[in-house]
Amino acid sequence: MKALISVSDKTGIIEFARELTNMNIEIISTGGTYKVLQESNIPVTEVCEITGFNECLDGRVKTLHPVIHAGILNIRDNPKHQQEIKEMQVDNIDFVVVN
């Protein structure tokens, strides 16, 4: 399972992310949240590593990418959706954490 975390208020995010990690949930993150998690030695993958697209417009555009949206919006029990994301080599994103 994977979680996308992108928060402006980072209060409690380290503890929350540690719990996700303890449950074997991979974490994907953006900009400042990524830095905080990485500095706290929490395993995290930066969104741009998945999308191949760097943040732009002062960080306002980072998760607006078909790879991220397909991972979030595909219907898990729809065989056509699952086949499409498999062909696109997209992983499901099971949790989205924002504030």
Side-chain angles (χ1 to χ4, degrees):
M1 297 185 89
K2 292 186 186 240
L4 170 63
I5 303 177
S6 182
V7 294
S8 55
D9 179 353
K10 300 185 184 22
T11 306
I13 201 61
I14 294 167
E15 296 80 9
F16 183 78
R18 280 198 180 112
E19 287 301 317
L20 292 177
T21 301
N22 290 340
M23 296 185 311
N24 295 318
I25 297 171
E26 289 182 52
I27 298 173
I28 304 163
S29 194
T30 59
T33 305
Y34 170 81
K35 285 181 186 178
V36 166
L37 297 178
Q38 186 181 49
E39 289 169 358
S40 298
N41 296 316
I42 295 171
V44 59
T45 302
E46 197 167 13
V47 166
C48 65
E49 290 180 42
I50 294 169
T51 63
F53 191 84
N54 290 326
E55 293 181 15
C56 61
L57 302 178
D58 299 321
R60 295 185 65 180
V61 176
K62 43 194 153 208
T63 58
L64 297 172
H65 193 280
V67 171
I68 299 297
H69 288 142
I72 296 169
L73 298 174
N74 76 80
I75 299 172
R76 303 314 195 261
D77 63 355
N78 181 321
K80 183 177 182 245
H81 284 201
Q82 295 310 301
Q83 183 60 38
E84 283 184 58
I85 66 163
K86 183 178 178 181
E87 290 170 4
M88 293 170 32
Q89 299 180 331
V90 169
D91 291 333
N92 286 323
I93 297 175
D94 305 288
F95 304 97
V96 177
V97 180
V98 296
N99 61 18

